Amino acid sequence: MPSRVIVNADDFGLNEHTNAVILHAFHSGLISSATAMATMPAFKAACTLAQQPALRGRVGLHFNLTYGKPLSEAIRALAQFCNANGEFDLNLSRKRLWLGRQAREAVAAELAAQWQQCLDYGLTPSHLDSHQHVHNRWPIGEIVARFAAREGVPIRLARNVGHNIGPAKRLFKTLLNQRLRQLARLTADHVCTPVDLRNGLAPEHGVLEVVAHPSALGSHDFGDAYLASGESLKALLDQRLAGVPRIGYGALRDPPHTALDTASNR
């Protein structure tokens, strides 16, 4: 059983309905963390909600390179990232290990713009992850991890718990996570989905992040995009992680109990 768990809801700010579900999930104690999309229509409302006591200090940036329009200019001109209308249309192989200087600078500028958008609306992000896991692409991951280190915030690792991670993919994820941890310094130890929990794969030690996309299941329960229709995320978490404290990513910055310390003592 992990020592602590971060249950993070992605896509805060996507729309008003998603905001309402995530707010309810915070107040019910289901989730302990969320990440907001600075480029989405309901982002400003999400930043206002993030000032509530249950959410304060527990909302990070969900870096987006795949949906909607960018906030910065340079990236709009790059066919690797945007279409002719200046909308995100990521065309970057998951096997790509390197980006040219122009592309690296454009990604870094867009990340900085999305971060600044958070600050402009009164949200100081607690951590960094990405929409559709774009920072699991090696060169983007390095940019995001370096930025996280400069801001002193944790970063999400690539998912490293699951039956469907074959040998080649597991090797890649292991090397990528080593690099993310080396650059950003603050991470959880394990990342999984609700399906991995359902399959009995909760790690036996360390800090675990459960990546969630909660949905309303009646008035007092929650489903999740990863789970079957009608399947309760609440019941799953209560069963598989009973008694495990739920924390926000901000707790990883408080010594002596950081995931980095745990990893370095193994």
Side-chain angles (χ1 to χ4, degrees):
M1 194 74 74
S3 60
R4 295 179 291 173
V5 62
I6 300 163
V7 183
N8 189 92
D10 291 1
D11 300 344
F12 201 27
L14 179 64
N15 52 51
E16 295 293 346
H17 175 73
T18 300
N19 284 1
V21 171
I22 289 177
L23 179 65
H24 185 199
F26 264 115
H27 284 304
S28 71
L30 178 82
I31 63 175
S32 58
S33 178
T35 37
M37 301 181 73
T39 59
M40 291 295 104
F43 172 71
K44 182 178 179 180
C47 290
T48 299
L49 295 174
Q51 304 308 314
Q52 295 190 17
L55 286 69
R56 192 175 298 128
R58 292 175 176 266
V59 178
L61 172 61
H62 197 52
F63 181 44
N64 175 30
L65 288 176
T66 62
Y67 185 47
K69 293 185 176 181
L71 298 180
S72 59
E73 288 298 324
I75 202 167
R76 296 172 187 260
L78 300 182
Q80 289 173 299
F81 299 99
C82 291
N83 60 26
N85 295 321
E87 299 168 334
F88 283 128
D89 185 16
L90 187 63
N91 184 26
L92 186 68
S93 170
R94 294 181 181 275
K95 298 178 182 179
R96 185 75 173 266
L97 298 178
W98 182 84
L99 286 175
R101 179 178 177 181
Q102 184 182 24
R104 293 197 309 271
E105 290 179 349
V107 171
E110 179 60 23
L111 175 55
Q114 292 184 26
W115 184 273
Q116 186 60 48
Q117 184 88 324
C118 293
L119 301 180
D120 289 346
Y121 285 109
L123 173 65
T124 301
S126 58
H127 63 292
L128 269 164
D129 58 32
S130 63
H131 192 53
Q132 298 180 342
H133 314 295
V134 295
H135 78 289
N136 288 182
R137 290 166 169 81
W138 192 287
I140 295 176
E142 288 195 331
I143 293 168
V144 176
R146 286 191 172 97
F147 187 91
R150 288 196 299 271
E151 297 298 333
V153 299
I155 187 175
R156 172 187 288 168
L157 294 179
R159 172 174 164 261
N160 54 6
V161 175
H163 284 316
N164 62 339
I165 305 175
K169 182 180 286 189
R170 188 169 295 279
L171 175 61
F172 175 82
K173 284 174 175 277
T174 297
L175 294 174
L176 174 63
N177 284 343
Q178 287 176 352
R179 184 60 171 158
L180 294 178
R181 187 178 284 114
Q182 177 189 44
L183 292 173
R185 301 183 181 181
L186 291 171
T187 71
D189 298 297
H190 312 281
V191 177
C192 77
T193 70
V195 171
D196 301 319
L197 288 183
R198 185 182 63 194
N199 291 338
L201 299 178
E204 297 180 357
H205 54 78
V207 178
L208 169 68
E209 181 190 355
V210 180
V211 180
H213 296 81
S215 57
L217 193 62
S219 58
H220 301 292
D221 202 355
F222 298 88
D224 191 88
Y226 287 108
L227 299 176
S229 177
E231 189 174 358
S232 171
L233 176 61
K234 181 180 183 301
L236 179 64
L237 293 173
D238 289 347
Q239 178 187 15
R240 297 297 187 181
L241 297 172
V244 179
R246 296 182 194 180
I247 62 170
Y249 259 102
L252 300 188
R253 292 178 288 177
D254 299 330
H257 300 296
T258 65
L260 181 64
D261 291 336
T262 301
S264 65
N265 288 331
R266 289 175 189 159

